[in-house]
Amino acid sequence: MTRYSIFSLLRNALNYHEDWPRAWRSPEPKSSYDVVIVGGGGHGLATAYYLAKNHGITDVAVIESGWIGGGSTGRNTTIVRSNYLWDESAALYEHSLKLWEGLSQDLNFNVMFSQRGVMNLAHNQHDLREISRRINANRLNGIDSEFMTPQEIKTFVPIIDLRAGGRYPVLGASIQRRGGTARHDAVAWGYARAADALGVDIIQQCPVTGFQIENGRVRAVETGKGTIEAKKVGIVVAGHSSVLAGMAGFRLPIHSLPLQALVSEPVKPVLDTVIMSGAVHAYISQSDKGELVIGAGVDSYVGYGQRGSLPVTEETLGAICELFPMFRRMRMLRQWGGIVDVCPDASPILSKTPVEGMFINCGWGTGGFKATPGSGWAFAQTIANDMPHELNAAFSLDRFRTGYLIDEHGAAAVAH
Amino acid sequence: MLVIPCPYCGPRCEIEFSYGGQAHIARPEDSAAISDETWADYVFLRDNTKGVFLERWVHAHGCRQWFNVARHTVTYEILASYETGAKPPKLDFVTQV
């Protein structure tokens, strides 16, 4: 791997940037691997990277049916934060945020992590109480979290209308200043390149069609490019987790729902933070290209069609226009719906499965992007040691039987 | 936007309805005697079908009646709607995409 640096940039400038090597190889799959990761999104690639880096397991293949980062990894609102309510989530997401802070250096790839702050607005007395409770919980867990009065909000974000047309008055907000955004594609590319450099095979356009399971233990993965034997298999396929679990013969407490986002035409810098409002199902930030990136809610019904329903778009944009009257004449460039796995308690599953040697990482719902590094870190350890990392021990498949749910609906709301 | 045929009111826009998840799930009898596993299955496990799915809807902003719908979860085509308690109609449709 050529290291990216100012010197490699200069050297390649002399050649008019025509001799950059490929960032990762495109090998044909071998007939067997120690570990096969199904799913080449951010979480899958991060898992492969940390398997190689932290655990020295380099005989790894990442199998992706489409292309790297072509699913929700490349289509999300790129928000990174860790201000979750419960201890278990706080630990996992905070570990992830700490990895984000050094990720560009670690991967030698600029993931454009920008700690511009993430605000959660309160629109009524109940929101205010909920936000105060979460701020206190965050601080007890060592996570930065502050309360902002309406005046402070107006100073920080001058374009906001605190009255919001009378429909969504802003009474306060929480802010996590270490939160922010990152370039989503760069995360997939950075992990792919770094994992590839450590010997991981990244195999694209290779759909998984089934599993060979003998005596309750996974033996091989059936793919579009033939049978690949594997000692261990990690399934990281947000959106289609139930389908893959079905192939392996177990069920998951998961609903697949379409989640929408929208991007506006690019404009000059106008919003330098991330604003979220769980109560009105809307969140907004401005990308470095100048586009407003707007996240909406999920459809209420199960759906695998990659589009969202129009009433959801309308509700979100209605709220955005009330909060930011100057955005009323903005035009949207594109809209999309990605399929997200939602668990009954709005927390993920990073767990062993009823099939020996098979592990699953799913159920991140509407907020998996922020967790990419931490999720990969913990899942890699779970696969390597055949037992969960302390960060994800609570996020087991078993919790639905024991009742130890991690109910993040309150803290996560829709803007997870 | 879905246009959902309420068996009582006829076709209406989806914003008049609320979703009730998978249809035809029976609460286990004698729930005190069953294992935690069976109970967890009943409470949390639902089919997450990619294909034709039988699901419950309530006409919340209309007649407020619950009923069942057969809908394709990829094309979002609604193939049938029928009253709660009725057997699902025979559907001439491939169930997997």
Side-chain angles (χ1 to χ4, degrees):
Chain A
M1 178 177 85
T2 319
R3 238 189 114 67
Y4 294 155
S5 68
I6 182 76
F7 303 107
S8 68
L9 190 64
L10 286 173
R11 201 162 49 243
N12 280 281
L14 298 174
N15 299 338
Y16 301 96
H17 297 291
E18 284 175 355
D19 295 330
W20 285 104
R22 292 180 75 101
W24 58 84
R25 299 163 295 131
S26 281
E28 284 302 306
K30 293 193 289 183
S31 60
S32 80
Y33 288 94
D34 284 348
V35 180
V36 168
I37 303 291
V38 182
H43 289 235
L45 293 164
T47 305
Y49 172 67
Y50 291 118
L51 271 174
K53 186 189 171 213
N54 295 355
H55 305 284
I57 301 173
T58 56
D59 190 24
V60 177
V62 177
I63 298 179
E64 165 60 44
S65 69
W67 63 94
I68 294 302
S72 299
T73 302
R75 285 286 170 104
N76 63 69
T77 50
T78 76
I79 298 167
V80 176
R81 63 188 177 92
S82 66
N83 52 355
Y84 278 71
L85 179 66
W86 299 108
D87 295 350
E88 296 85 355
S89 331
L92 182 58
Y93 289 101
E94 178 62 12
H95 182 72
S96 194
L97 182 53
K98 284 183 178 144
L99 290 171
W100 276 110
E101 287 172 330
L103 197 61
S104 292
Q105 286 73 23
D106 186 28
L107 298 179
N108 181 231
F109 201 101
N110 187 2
V111 298
M112 296 166 77
F113 181 46
S114 158
Q115 292 179 295
R116 57 184 66 186
V118 174
M119 293 169 70
N120 291 76
L121 302 181
H123 300 289
N124 53 46
Q125 290 300 324
H126 174 75
D127 284 357
L128 276 179
R129 282 194 286 269
E130 199 57 47
I131 275 183
S132 308
R133 179 190 180 204
R134 188 158 46 77
I135 290 172
N136 290 333
N138 291 158
R139 290 185 160 197
L140 287 171
N141 278 317
I143 295 168
D144 71 306
S145 199
E146 293 166 44
F147 183 77
M148 275 182 136
T149 63
Q151 289 69 34
E152 287 167 336
I153 297 170
K154 186 73 184 168
T155 313
F156 195 59
V157 188
I159 60 170
I160 200 167
D161 175 7
L162 293 176
R163 279 187 59 256
R167 278 174 80 191
Y168 309 111
V170 178
L171 304 184
S174 71
I175 180 164
Q176 183 179 23
R177 293 185 196 274
R178 284 165 63 238
T181 59
R183 171 84 196 273
H184 45 13
D185 301 311
V187 177
W189 299 334
Y191 272 120
R193 175 169 168 272
D196 178 84
L198 294 173
V200 172
D201 282 358
I202 293 165
I203 297 152
Q204 302 183 66
Q205 307 207 321
C206 180
V208 167
T209 53
F211 298 101
Q212 286 183 17
I213 294 164
E214 270 180 19
N215 304 326
R217 184 171 182 90
V218 67
R219 207 183 68 80
V221 182
E222 305 273 10
T223 76
K225 295 189 176 181
T227 303
I228 302 172
E229 287 180 23
K231 294 194 184 100
K232 291 176 180 176
V233 174
I235 300 176
V236 201
V237 287
H240 284 74
S241 303
S242 303
V243 178
L244 270 283
M247 288 178 192
F250 60 95
R251 296 173 80 198
L252 294 170
I254 278 193
H255 287 122
S256 292
L257 306 173
L259 172 72
Q260 283 188 66
L262 308 96
V263 165
S264 77
E265 58 193 339
V267 289
K268 287 192 174 176
V270 64
L271 185 62
D272 62 357
T273 185
V274 182
I275 298 188
M276 313 177 69
S277 170
V280 296
H281 294 209
Y283 37 116
I284 184 166
S285 65
Q286 189 173 20
S287 75
D288 292 339
K289 284 188 284 185
E291 301 153 330
L292 297 177
V293 182
I294 297 171
V298 288
D299 288 358
S300 61
Y301 43 88
V302 172
Y304 288 88
Q306 288 180 312
R307 56 191 184 274
S309 110
L310 201 58
V312 174
T313 328
E314 193 180 353
E315 191 189 346
T316 297
L317 291 181
I320 295 284
C321 290
E322 297 283 21
L323 284 166
F324 304 97
M326 70 184 296
F327 291 160
R328 281 181 184 171
R329 286 185 293 165
M330 290 288 283
R331 284 165 297 186
M332 292 299 137
L333 271 189
R334 53 184 188 273
Q335 172 267 9
W336 66 88
I339 309 305
V340 297
D341 296 344
V342 179
C343 268
D345 59 355
S347 285
I349 298 170
L350 286 127
S351 176
K352 297 171 79 159
T353 69
V355 180
E356 223 172 303
M358 188 179 277
F359 304 82
I360 194 151
N361 180 348
C362 65
W364 290 93
T366 57
F369 177 73
K370 68 173 85 66
T372 305
S375 157
W377 181 286
F379 196 49
Q381 176 148 341
T382 307
I383 294 175
N385 298 349
D386 225 351
M387 62 178 289
H389 189 281
E390 59 181 22
L391 285 172
N392 66 311
F395 295 92
S396 71
L397 196 48
D398 204 36
R399 72 176 186 268
F400 299 97
R401 182 181 61 78
T402 59
Y404 287 105
L405 303 183
I406 305 159
D407 183 5
E408 284 292 353
H409 277 292
V414 65
H416 193 9
Chain B
M1 166 121 46
L2 301 179
V3 176
I4 299 173
C6 170
Y8 308 99
C9 309
R12 299 291 181 89
C13 288
E14 76 175 69
I15 48 171
E16 295 186 14
F17 298 86
S18 294
Y19 189 58
Q22 189 181 355
H24 305 293
I25 302 245
R27 185 187 167 105
E29 284 174 28
D30 196 10
S31 51
I34 61 174
S35 68
D36 287 355
E37 209 109 52
T38 317
W39 183 247
D41 285 0
Y42 163 67
V43 175
F44 295 115
L45 279 189
R46 295 289 179 271
D47 288 344
N48 191 19
T49 311
K50 188 175 183 179
V52 176
F53 190 48
L54 304 178
E55 58 194 13
R56 299 185 306 154
W57 287 85
V58 59
H59 197 177
H61 300 288
C63 63
R64 303 182 63 184
Q65 300 258 33
W66 283 92
F67 59 96
N68 295 335
V69 165
R71 183 176 59 91
H72 197 289
T73 58
V74 181
T75 63
Y76 296 176
E77 200 178 341
I78 291 177
L79 305 163
S81 72
Y82 54 100
E83 293 175 17
T84 300
K87 284 218 165 99
K90 267 203 158 8
L91 296 169
D92 195 16
F93 211 91
V94 187
T95 50
Q96 284 293 322
V97 173

